[in-house]
Amino acid sequence: MKGLYEDRPIRGEGLARRFSNSKRVAIVSIMAVLSVLLPLTLFLSSVVGTPVTSPKHQSCNTVDEGYQCFSGVSHLWGQYSPYFSVDDESSLSDDIPDHCQVTFAQVLSRHGARYPTESKSKKYAKLIKAIQHNATSFTGKYAFLKSYNYTLGADDLTAFGESQMVNSGIKFYQRYEKLAKDIVPFIRASGSDRVIASGEKFIEGFQKAKLGESKTKQDQPAPIVNVIIPETDGFNNTLDHGTCTVFESSEAEDEAEEKFINVFTPSIIERLEKNLPGIKISGKELVYLMDMCSYDTIALTRDGSRISPFCALFTHEEWVQYDYLQSVGKYYGYGAGNSLGPAQGIGFANELIARLTQSPVKDHTSTNTTLDSNPATFPLNAKLYADFSHDNAMTSIYFALGLYNQTKLLSQTSVQSTEETNGYSAAWTVPFAARAYFEMMQCKGEKEPLVRVLVNDRVIPLQGCDADKHGRCKRDDFIEGLSFVTSDGNWAECFA
């Protein structure tokens, strides 16, 4: 198991090849020593509660791999994890086969890393102030709390989040270059400021990659956010839930989270109250302190190269439990654990079917008929699409499409591993700047196009159809298997 604050390994092989054998031996020896000392230095620094800096000579946050900084903890922040390329040993290759040509690509993306929501930001600030007022001593790794100044904003993207979305645009262009070099993608965004800004930063990265390939492409128009769907009451929006009245009044997410909070927090609270004499905190407040690890980290630098001292207050096992808590919340709030969770994703799924088949949208759930019936706001002949949304909506969409149908009901009393949940977790599915790629490809020897879905670079074998060894299904078989979607599922229960 990787160390709690371990970065990606240092690679010295390319450098060593440039030197003589004797110098190569010396370099390899030095690198071997560094490979031991660097993780130890990072760990010791984290224990005393000071921010840790990643090595300057290499980036641990890249276009291809996403956020690999301090992966022993940063990949355990649930939906507050920054996007990272999911390296699952059981997953299929995400390469595009040589004998296949991509003819259609749709990205569905979460916005980039943001500051806490306004309501949460107030709660975090209040909690830290209370700790500073009530604690009678601050020692060891808790010492930073005495003088910590809460300065986080609310709701908007951080500089790190903006950088994530630029990288996302670059990666999308690079993956689908054969289409993208001559095509301008059609882009929609749900109507919150951070989602719109994420679409704009994605465009910035897309254009950066495109114009870097050839100056002749400068004559092509730059992409724009073509449609912004309002997030107002009563306005149908497939990129943000809000019109299913029974669902909106449900407290299933909070109830599921509370059950698991009661399971994993008591022992941690006991330790913190002992080490910070004078304080009293609840289970929810303990989770707020854990939230601060991610939020503080993504606000410290534009590249995420420093980790917050909040992170060192908790053990690796406690971060595993925290990560599972976030998965429980999403699963019971917007996934299969909530009878109406998947229904919130039906509208987008039917829009996807329309785009794959270049036929009008057939849906009576959350689609906006005015927008979807107008070729200017919902074209059917584009080959590249990009939609920007939120983690909750994306979770519902994944379950509407049956991507995680093999996931068993998540326990609310004990942690299940990603193997036990068949690869489902909030960190793997809806981290900050999460992206799902829906690809259609034409392959030699196949009369019908094939469809494939990747979630954060992990191929998700399609369910409800005869998937091949690459996780793909024939387009018509894929659509036929979406009977829950094409029949409007249980949407009628929204207004019972």
Side-chain angles (χ1 to χ4, degrees):
M1 181 178 291
K2 294 182 179 179
L4 185 58
Y5 299 106
E6 184 177 349
D7 283 310
R8 301 183 69 193
I10 298 174
R11 305 179 188 272
E13 296 176 2
L15 180 63
R17 281 196 295 269
R18 303 178 190 174
F19 294 88
S20 64
N21 289 338
S22 60
K23 291 183 178 179
R24 184 181 306 150
V25 171
I27 290 171
V28 171
S29 298
I30 292 171
M31 299 302 286
V33 172
L34 285 176
S35 68
V36 174
L37 291 181
L38 181 58
L40 179 61
T41 301
L42 294 174
F43 176 77
L44 290 176
S45 297
S46 67
V47 167
V48 299
T50 56
V52 177
T53 304
S54 292
K56 293 295 183 183
H57 61 274
Q58 67 172 12
S59 174
C60 51
N61 183 37
T62 64
V63 169
D64 287 336
E65 297 297 323
Y67 194 68
Q68 301 294 337
C69 311
F70 322 107
S71 58
V73 62
S74 67
H75 293 181
L76 296 173
W77 292 338
Q79 68 270 21
Y80 303 140
S81 295
Y83 153 79
F84 59 93
S85 183
V86 177
D87 184 15
D88 177 22
E89 292 181 358
S90 64
S91 65
L92 305 170
S93 171
D94 65 345
D95 293 341
I96 299 169
D98 292 336
H99 66 287
C100 298
Q101 181 179 354
V102 174
T103 59
F104 168 99
Q106 152 93 63
V107 59
L108 173 64
S109 172
R110 187 188 178 192
H111 57 74
R114 57 165 172 78
Y115 293 110
T117 59
E118 185 176 359
S119 61
K120 280 286 186 70
S121 196
K122 291 177 180 178
K123 291 175 182 177
Y124 297 154
K126 181 180 179 181
L127 174 60
I128 292 168
K129 186 176 181 179
I131 290 174
Q132 292 172 336
H133 180 266
N134 295 322
T136 57
S137 69
F138 298 85
T139 59
K141 60 187 177 183
Y142 303 93
F144 81 95
L145 284 167
K146 184 175 183 178
S147 58
Y148 179 82
N149 183 28
Y150 186 90
T151 58
L152 299 183
D155 294 316
D156 295 332
L157 295 182
T158 64
F160 173 78
E162 292 177 347
S163 177
Q164 281 187 296
M165 298 310 301
V166 171
N167 285 347
S168 181
I170 293 171
K171 183 165 185 171
F172 186 72
Y173 177 83
Q174 291 176 342
R175 181 172 182 82
Y176 302 112
E177 180 182 351
K178 290 183 179 179
L179 282 178
K181 65 181 180 180
D182 297 317
I183 293 174
V184 177
F186 186 84
I187 298 174
R188 301 186 304 175
S190 194
S192 73
D193 290 345
R194 62 179 176 271
V195 177
I196 299 168
S198 293
E200 292 170 344
K201 286 297 177 180
F202 175 93
I203 290 170
E204 182 180 322
F206 182 92
Q207 282 299 94
K208 179 180 179 181
K210 189 170 189 175
L211 297 180
E213 294 296 322
S214 172
K215 293 183 179 180
T216 60
K217 298 184 181 70
Q218 293 183 7
D219 294 335
Q220 295 182 6
I224 61 171
V225 179
N226 302 90
V227 175
I228 296 172
I229 308 178
E231 296 182 1
T232 55
D233 291 342
F235 199 98
N236 280 16
N237 182 348
T238 56
L239 300 177
D240 185 50
H241 66 91
T243 56
C244 176
T245 54
V246 173
F247 176 81
E248 295 304 322
S249 63
S250 170
E251 297 182 355
E253 179 181 12
D254 293 339
E255 291 170 356
E257 288 181 346
E258 185 175 357
K259 287 182 181 179
F260 192 67
I261 285 174
N262 292 336
V263 170
F264 93 93
T265 61
S267 62
I268 310 175
I269 291 173
E270 182 179 357
R271 185 184 77 242
L272 261 64
E273 291 182 346
K274 178 180 178 181
N275 292 323
L276 288 167
I279 73 165
K280 292 291 181 182
I281 59 174
S282 67
K284 281 189 176 181
E285 289 172 331
L286 185 279
V287 173
Y288 293 163
L289 277 180
M290 299 185 83
D291 292 348
M292 281 297 299
C293 167
S294 170
Y295 280 123
D296 200 44
T297 296
I298 60 178
L300 284 172
T301 62
R302 186 175 183 86
D303 61 358
S305 60
R306 299 175 68 206
I307 192 166
S308 169
F310 282 97
C311 304
L313 300 183
F314 308 96
T315 68
H316 181 269
E317 179 57 34
E318 288 162 358
W319 283 117
V320 170
Q321 294 172 322
Y322 172 86
D323 185 57
Y324 186 71
L325 168 69
Q326 307 301 348
S327 299
V328 165
K330 295 304 171 194
Y331 181 82
Y332 285 95
Y334 302 90
N338 185 326
S339 63
L340 283 171
Q344 310 313 302
I346 292 174
F348 178 88
N350 277 322
E351 289 179 332
L352 176 63
I353 291 172
R355 288 172 169 177
L356 288 169
T357 59
Q358 295 189 353
S359 58
V361 178
K362 298 177 182 178
D363 179 83
H364 300 91
T365 66
S366 61
T367 52
N368 186 289
T369 305
T370 302
L371 294 176
D372 285 5
S373 62
N374 186 344
T377 51
F378 195 84
L380 294 171
N381 59 350
K383 296 181 179 180
L384 286 178
Y385 297 91
D387 287 329
F388 297 89
S389 182
H390 299 273
D391 54 338
N392 294 336
M394 289 174 66
T395 299
S396 292
I397 289 166
Y398 293 161
F399 279 93
L401 290 168
L403 300 185
Y404 297 97
N405 277 358
Q406 291 185 338
T407 300
K408 296 180 181 179
L409 198 68
L410 266 62
S411 170
Q412 298 179 39
T413 58
S414 61
V415 174
Q416 293 170 302
S417 68
T418 51
E419 288 79 11
E420 292 175 300
T421 60
N422 286 293
Y424 173 76
S425 81
W428 283 25
T429 55
V430 288
F432 286 131
R435 69 288 306 257
Y437 294 157
F438 301 91
E439 302 175 338
M440 186 162 63
M441 60 186 74
Q442 190 66 55
C443 303
K444 291 181 179 179
E446 294 282 351
K447 294 182 179 180
E448 192 176 336
L450 301 173
V451 175
R452 181 168 66 170
V453 178
L454 291 73
V455 176
N456 300 323
D457 307 323
R458 179 173 180 259
V459 176
I460 309 298
L462 295 176
Q463 305 294 310
C465 54
D466 188 16
D468 65 13
K469 62 182 181 179
H470 303 293
R472 306 170 303 184
C473 282
K474 293 180 179 180
R475 180 189 59 191
D476 291 351
D477 288 346
F478 169 64
I479 295 171
E480 186 176 351
L482 297 178
S483 58
F484 174 78
V485 168
T486 55
S487 66
D488 292 340
N490 58 339
W491 185 257
E493 297 175 16
C494 284
F495 313 100

